Amino acid sequence: QQQKNEKNWTPFCIGENVEKLMFKYYIVPNRNLIVENLERGWLSEIYFPNDEQLANSGWSPHWGQPRGGTPGLKVDSEFLSFFHSSFRCIDGTYWYIMGANTFEADFPFRVTSISHCPLFYKGVFTAPILNSANPMTRCIFPCGFALKKEGDKELIYLSLGENDSCVKVLTLDKKALFANMKKIQLTPQGIPAAHQEIMAEASAALR
């Protein structure tokens, strides 16, 4: 199933000597795109069925389906990214919220942990509604992040847009963030035959 509007793809790069650009097209179900030729815009799809464990991970459907946000960056042995979702209240107000997830650093790039509740902060949604921003929308949208070690702490600096009117930068404790994500129990998963050739070629290119 394609998105109604083609947006919110999560970019990430794999490989060490030769990097390959990829996109996480859907978080649930696990659907990824690999760029075969950037100049010509050639993409190959790598799709895996929805993991039951992820569907029951604790990210409530009342908060909306997780969609893209920041690029995925390699943190330790897996990728970290921040996503957004949205829902509508009875009064017609749309609320855009965010969470974090980690996913495998190699095929099939399954989600390994995810926020079990939205990430909020002091002063959230307080930015004045300016210019063309919709007064019936309250929005936080994660855009990008960087890591920095200060003393014995590893910090994450996360940039985000709020209410389509301003930009804020949050400082997060990496250890606390990871501790508040729910681990997903992964099960061995077969690789569809249609993807085996694509994955073999991509793996060969990365070596």
Side-chain angles (χ1 to χ4, degrees):
Q1 180 183 358
Q2 286 187 294
Q3 298 179 10
K4 184 177 179 180
N5 297 308
E6 292 295 354
K7 59 180 183 177
N8 300 323
W9 297 11
T10 300
F12 62 101
C13 291
I14 58 174
E16 296 178 0
N17 298 324
V18 181
E19 288 193 336
K20 278 275 190 179
L21 176 62
M22 295 194 63
F23 295 95
K24 187 163 281 293
Y25 187 81
Y26 275 126
I27 298 174
V28 182
N30 182 21
R31 187 175 177 185
N32 305 279
L33 302 174
I34 183 168
V35 179
E36 299 289 355
N37 188 309
L38 189 59
E39 293 182 355
R40 295 180 179 271
W42 290 349
L43 297 170
S44 294
E45 181 184 40
I46 302 174
Y47 170 77
F48 293 85
N50 189 10
D51 286 317
E52 184 178 349
Q53 292 90 345
L54 179 55
N56 299 316
S57 64
W59 183 261
S60 171
H62 296 296
W63 297 325
Q65 180 175 353
R67 306 195 296 274
T70 71
L73 295 182
K74 188 82 171 292
V75 177
D76 300 326
S77 60
E78 52 194 359
F79 281 99
L80 169 68
S81 68
F82 293 82
F83 62 87
H84 82 288
S85 66
S86 63
F87 62 91
R88 188 181 185 185
C89 281
I90 297 176
D91 65 358
T93 303
Y94 283 94
W95 295 86
Y96 287 77
I97 54 180
M98 71 172 176
N101 76 103
T102 59
F103 57 94
E104 295 173 309
D106 204 347
F107 296 105
F109 307 108
R110 293 174 297 178
V111 173
T112 54
S113 65
I114 191 168
S115 297
H116 60 84
C117 61
L119 298 176
F120 291 130
Y121 50 91
K122 186 177 181 180
V124 65
F125 299 124
T126 57
I129 308 298
L130 302 175
N131 303 321
S132 60
N134 187 342
M136 295 299 290
T137 297
R138 297 295 182 270
C139 173
I140 47 177
F141 188 94
C143 301
F145 70 95
L147 290 91
K148 183 180 180 181
K149 189 162 186 177
E150 294 190 7
D152 59 348
K153 279 190 175 182
E154 288 186 274
L155 302 179
I156 297 173
Y157 294 98
L158 172 66
S159 67
L160 56 87
E162 185 175 290
N163 293 344
D164 294 327
S165 299
C166 81
V167 174
K168 293 184 177 181
V169 177
L170 307 183
T171 303
L172 307 176
D173 184 304
K174 176 195 161 189
K175 184 177 180 180
L177 175 70
F178 276 64
N180 281 280
M181 286 194 284
K182 183 176 180 180
K183 293 288 184 183
I184 296 172
Q185 191 67 36
L186 299 178
T187 56
Q189 187 173 352
I191 300 172
H195 301 326
Q196 289 181 3
E197 185 177 345
I198 294 173
M199 292 175 60
E201 291 177 356
S203 296
L206 295 174
R207 286 196 288 267

